Amino acid sequence: MTKAASAAAKDFAAAGVYGVHLAWADNNGIPRSRIVPVAGLADAATRGVGATSLFAVFDSHDAITYSHSGLSTPSGDIRLVPVVDRLRRLAGQPALAWAPVRQFTQDGDPWPYCQRSVLERQVAEASERGLEFRAGYELEFAVAPAGSSDVLTSPGHPGPAYSPHALVPLDGFVASLLHDFAANGLRIGQLHAEYGVAQIELSLGATDPVSAADDQLLARQTIHAAAHAHGLVVSFAPLVGLGAAGNGWHLHTSVRRKGQNLLEDPDSGYLAGLLRDLPALTAITAPSVPSTMRLRPGYFAGAYAFWGVENREAPLRYIAGSDHANVELKTSDASANPYLALAVVLAAGMAGLDDRPALPDPIGEDPGSWTAGERETRGVRPLPADTAEQDAALLASPRVAGVLGDDLLGAFRAVRASDAAWAADRTADEIVAAHLWRY
Ligand code: GLU
Ligand code: MG
């Protein structure tokens, strides 16, 4: 690896790259990074660079909580080691390159709080069982002119939803996105003006799960840089305003055995596994206070635990087909750590393949339009509505909670509690505003 890092550093230096972002996402889905000069890349790839161990207990507002017993003092350092085969020069920031990191202890042991390693373990487990996953994120975000305090009062495009005309004022930005994504090695499936105020959606091509999470992080960096170059800012926050359509980061997955897509049959156990654990999954895939505010009926975001065939209100939307059959998890957003989100989805899906829980009939309507009595009769429950309910759902599923391991689970829960305490004496508008530009 050092050889590969030295070679990359040499090429970068010759091409006018001065530094490399060593990037990861914390337990709030917030990207963090350290830049090393290219001359330091090989050393970083060998020994790592130092960082505080407390990143695992940063909350969504950059406050550090000491309530998790494993990380209860300001002392301690970890090593961030770039994943060299994922190094990319950033097309939109040509003096910089980018690589995701793995986190290690000072002694070079795996750091139990390393989210990327948690996903790598699930992928290894899948491969031991002869399973191969494919995953891809769809990113919804809102655009505003640089300097805007929010999106709703200064929308970056006028709509109409899905209109080609809506994107005319953003032509240069759209062109940069298409160029920079390709140059950064990211595949865009589609891009369009979405339903929400000044909203754009961009889907990433499906790939292996770890690459899908890496890509999701790199996509954010790429979009932020392109927006900046065009005098814009983007909000990836789950909600940009009360009563407005949210930004879902829907997660598409499928799983193959011996090349056969098991999602061709919705009743293979995978979908049933996700449905069985959906409340606990959502505690990881849509974990912030604004996440729970986004999951309202009528907004295509998923508010009740059910599945449907191409039903856009369903948190689990089954998309039929042969090779491309997959399931879309809508209760997923930018405040999730992309590695942890995928790790728990894989684990719940694999448990479903093992246990084959009964799959109820799909629902074609919006259960939000039913009475509470109808929902009760048809066995459709609301998803956890706040942090406390999410926490209870998470603890009620050892299948999901166990994926994180005790240390990371403790830190993750401490961070959620810290966020909830922050939000307790704030209004809904204040909460939305404080998360707008965090991701
Ligand atoms: N914006 C919706 C959400 O919050 C999703 C709309 C769609 O189906 O693409 O997830
Ligand atoms: Mg969408």
Side-chain angles (χ1 to χ4, degrees), residues 105-126:
T105 67
Q106 291 280 45
D107 301 328
D109 295 324
W111 171 239
Y113 301 88
C114 175
Q115 298 91 348
R116 196 176 188 275
S117 306
V118 169
L119 177 56
E120 287 180 317
R121 273 204 299 281
Q122 288 304 315
V123 171
E125 167 123 21

Side-chain angles (χ1 to χ4, degrees), residues 138-140 162 192 194-195 199-202 246 248 250 300 312 317 328 330:
E138 272 175 27
L139 315 181
E140 291 180 336
Y162 314 109
H192 63 268
E194 246 292 349
Y195 191 78
Q199 201 176 31
I200 291 182
E201 172 173 322
L202 179 163
H250 304 167
F300 289 4
R312 288 202 154 61
R317 182 167 81 99
E328 176 187 52
K330 286 181 154 256

